[in-house]
Amino acid sequence: DNLPVTVVNESRNKYYNEQRNNHLVSENVKFTYAFNLCRTMDKECLQLATELLEDLYKQTNNDGARRDYLFYLSVAYLKLKEYEKATKYVEAILYVQPNNRQAQQLKERIHSAMKRDGLVGIAAASGIAAL
């Protein structure tokens, strides 16, 4: 989906206001901003989303939050057409939760996108399918 710019701007303003006022940003505000960035098709927004989500992932020990961060990292990398990274992150979820239907569906979307872009053979040859 392509989120309206106004929604992204709202979450960006909350993020930067909290950063400016508190010198750090709460996990919830940071995730909301990253999540909204993931819902755009803008390459720069998606790149920033990956940075924020990777930072969030490193900073938490909460398994549920880590799963969410991995999922949206995979979504962002899928939209960026960085299929190897998208696959790596969704596979990390499926390694721990092999029956996670949402992750299974995302993996199928990644595979379909790779097939559409003619990259399935390349992926198999390079070992991406084994990640």
Side-chain angles (χ1 to χ4, degrees):
D1 62 314
N2 201 3
L3 195 65
V5 173
T6 55
V7 177
V8 175
N9 287 341
E10 283 177 30
S11 58
R12 182 189 67 224
N13 290 341
K14 285 181 186 177
Y15 176 84
Y16 287 111
N17 285 337
E18 192 167 310
Q19 187 178 50
R20 182 177 53 246
N21 295 333
N22 303 331
H23 301 291
L24 59 110
V25 180
S26 71
E27 186 173 345
N28 187 48
V29 168
K30 195 176 208 176
F31 175 70
T32 300
Y33 183 35
F35 171 73
N36 286 336
L37 291 168
C38 282
R39 296 173 60 200
T40 72
M41 293 305 293
D42 181 82
K43 187 175 180 175
E44 289 180 19
C45 287
L46 292 166
Q47 285 293 120
L48 179 56
T50 64
E51 293 170 20
L52 294 170
L53 290 163
E54 287 174 355
D55 189 47
L56 283 163
Y57 182 85
K58 292 174 188 173
Q59 292 179 354
T60 190
N61 293 322
N62 179 304
D63 289 339
R66 292 184 108 184
R67 181 193 59 239
D68 290 344
Y69 303 152
L70 290 171
F71 182 84
Y72 289 106
L73 274 162
S74 187
V75 168
Y77 281 120
L78 170 60
K79 287 183 171 187
L80 289 166
K81 297 185 178 190
E82 294 187 33
Y83 302 124
E84 186 173 347
K85 289 180 181 179
T87 300
K88 178 178 92 171
Y89 288 117
V90 78
E91 285 289 340
I93 297 169
L94 291 169
Y95 179 78
V96 177
Q97 297 178 336
N99 296 321
N100 183 314
R101 188 71 192 131
Q102 192 177 23
Q104 290 171 347
Q105 290 170 340
L106 179 56
K107 185 177 177 183
E108 290 169 14
R109 281 179 51 202
I110 295 165
H111 185 75
S112 292
M114 291 172 67
K115 190 174 182 180
R116 180 190 67 231
D117 291 349
L119 299 175
V120 172
I122 295 168
S126 68
I128 189 173
L131 289 177

